[in-house]
Amino acid sequence: MQRLLPTLLAALAALVAPGLGAPRAAAGSGEKLQVVTTIPDLADIVRRVGGDEVEVKAIARGFENLHTVRLRPSHMVMVSRAKLFVQVGLALEHGWVPGLLESARNSRIMADGPLNVAEDWPYLIEVPLTLDRSTGVDIHPLGNPHVNLDPRFGAFAAQRIRDRLKELRPEAAAAIDANCAAYEKEIEQRGQRWKRVAALVKGRKVVQYHKEFSYLCLANGLEMVGALEPQPGVPPTPRHLAQLAKQMRAEGVQVVVHGPWTPGRIAEDAAARGGARAVELPVMAQRDNGETWLDFMDRLHDGLLAAWDLELPPEEEDSSR
Amino acid sequence: MNHSLAATAARFSLVLASTASLGLAQLPQSDAPPQSPVGLLKSPGMPRIYWGQTTRFTSAWNPAAGIAFDGAFSWADDGDEDGVALDLNVAELTMQGSISPSWWGNFALETNSEEVELTESALFYMGLAERTSFRTGKFFIDFGKQMQIHVHDLMTPQRPAVLREYLGTEVPGTGFQLDHWSPIGDETAFRFSLGLFGEMEQHGHGFLFEEEGHGGHGGHGGHEGEGEIEPLLEDRRDFQDLIITARATAMTDAGENGILQVGASYRGIPEFAFEAEGANLAGDDVDFDADGLDSSVFGLDLTYGWNSPDGTKGWTAGAEFIRAEGTLNAEIVNDGTDQVALELFDGDAQGWFAYADHAWNQQNNVGIMVSAFEHLEDERPEDLEYTAYWTHFPTEFTRVRVAAIHMDREEGEDAQALMVQLTGYIGAHGHPYNW
């Protein structure tokens, strides 16, 4: 064994070494820019802005808790080959993106850093005054990071992605500008319908499971009465749920919203105790069926209508779609 | 042991060739943000506590520091005695941080109230080729899926019995290690590591049962009767006598929600000695020694993990087969006269462990583990250890575990234990585990 082992290891090194330079060698001009995004929403926006210049893959599938997405070997491989990594930022993905980037060890991504599209998001809410674990477990020092549920996110993210893609592909700047402008125009058109939904649900009271719908609530004029989690990241406790149920009944809360990853039974029980109904809403676009961010936002607003058994007037819906 | 000059040259050239082939000429000249060098991507079977913020705190200039507490209330009956105990298994201080864009360091100091041990103090260099890192200092050896992981971070209440017997509860080594991974296709990652160590410790805490067969340097030893046997490594040895570790593993997507990982590991000690002091039946002090000894441990591992699409539920199942060869143990014996001698166990022994774990939400998981091994003695009696546990995470930073353990011994009385374990983390708790 003492003689066999070095031979085996030398063979191993020889086997692996030839492939080491491959990622950089494949970065020639004319090839599509390999982009990896954390969520399908961003992948769709990169596709719309980058057009033929980019090939995009998303990691999350659309059902996950965005703080704890489960990673797979294929994610590591795709990041190792990427030229651009795009995330929401604001510490939304800080539980798993650093580990992914460190595992992938793509020196270009590590040197440039990921594109944090919400880095200078101007509408931050729920920014903690102090950073203290006694005030919660799921601490986001920069504020609530679930900005992809805000109707303003699409255009905002598109502009940041546009700027980065132009840096990486200056020869395609004109096309990227045109793509972005066209996309913003489409957002504006589709957004008319979201504004009509907001007008219908405005002023209604809602409880969240995890505070991931805060931007959506604010955009639609919903009044946030509370959350099932006593503090972000802390599972609901019996005492907190009992107090919240009293408050819900006192204030006439009709809807408890929760994401696909949160325990539906807890939301349903809490809603029933408070005289409300539990409604599951999506928290991001679905990757596997190719859902776009615009379609996701439509689905999200349809979910709000369904939560209160509301319908848009048919003639208005037809004119907006 | 007969080490030829050719073998020495082969090892040395292997290290040089590996280092050179990994692209020293490609040093990145960039203002890279601080990054830790070893992935924290959680592969199946890795500590569940690492699901999010636990591993990282932003720290602009100062190293990220953290403290972990792990204690247990237990009842145990190991055949000789029984009773309850309240133990601080470990209190651990960790620090980690970047030194420069290409260098990173980490440090871990542990105490169990009786002694303080430096378990990790390592520097990492990431300026080599893509997907490659080099570390030097003191760190846990890369063997199988478990030996990189501190006991208090394991998915299971304690290290599987076969690993405790053949390698040790925790095995930090002092040396250096090269680590590289490569993609194979779009869904598979292949990693190998190669380590050379001048010193390798073997220690542990939190054992529920007294066990024999654990010593100091070299990971070998035992005690029997009057003498304490201490396996020793020479402070200065020939290059070919350094301890070597190697691991190759591949991890691939298995369906939409599964991950399959296979691996092979090796740890070889080419040169060590047993030394002991004892007394013969006449009461005279006697020194024993045996040198020029060697041993090897091989491992094969297979792990499968599955998660629900929303990531909140999951199954993990894994198994490892371990085989040890060479001079594995020693004991002081007498032949019925006043003569005593050091008797070596020179041969092979093997064992395995398998486990299955089910998480039904982010806060709770249950699991079972079975481990069997042949003792490092001439008759090679077998032990079979069963473990069942329930782990609850009140938050990401706290863990409560209830466990029941039964040891079925071929020789001696069976043993059993019940345990309630509480673990808490203050601040960052990141160890440089790799998949």
Side-chain angles (χ1 to χ4, degrees), chain B residues 179-263:
Chain B
D179 204 298
H180 173 77
W181 80 272
S182 291
I184 300 174
D186 292 334
E187 297 183 345
T188 302
F190 171 81
R191 181 176 75 86
F192 75 85
S193 71
L194 176 66
L196 286 174
F197 298 89
E199 185 178 332
M200 192 167 285
E201 297 176 12
Q202 164 179 324
H203 58 75
H205 32 67
F207 279 168
L208 292 167
F209 311 126
E210 287 296 322
E211 296 180 60
E212 295 180 350
H214 297 282
H217 292 287
H220 288 264
H223 49 83
E224 177 87 12
E226 303 153 356
E228 186 75 21
I229 302 177
E230 295 182 358
L232 294 175
L233 294 165
E234 292 292 333
D235 289 339
R236 295 196 175 277
R237 282 158 283 157
D238 292 336
F239 184 79
Q240 70 267 23
D241 292 333
L242 293 175
I243 299 168
I244 187 170
T245 64
R247 174 161 171 78
T249 181
M251 180 167 65
T252 188
D253 290 10
E256 279 295 317
N257 300 298
I259 298 174
L260 182 68
Q261 183 172 3
V262 297

Side-chain angles (χ1 to χ4, degrees), chain A residues 2 5 9-10 16 20 61 63 68 70-74 76 81 94 102-105 107 110-111 133 137 139, chain B residues 21 33 35-37 39 41-42 53 57 130-131 180-181 185-186 251 253 255-258 266 311 362 434:
Chain A
Q2 294 299 324
L5 184 67
L9 293 172
V16 173
L20 291 175
R61 296 173 65 189
F63 318 104
T68 60
R70 304 287 177 179
L71 296 170
R72 296 154 58 75
S74 54
M76 215 163 65
R81 293 169 173 163
H94 73 161
E102 290 159 15
S103 297
R105 298 183 204 162
S107 61
M110 292 174 81
R133 291 271 173 226
V137 171
I139 299 289
Chain B
S21 70
Q35 302 282 345
S36 70
L41 179 133
K42 190 174 63 180
Q53 305 171 97
F57 271 58
E130 294 284 317
R131 305 181 300 278
H180 173 77
W181 80 272
D186 292 334
M251 180 167 65
D253 290 10
E256 279 295 317
N257 300 298
Y266 170 77
Q362 288 194 100
N434 210 335

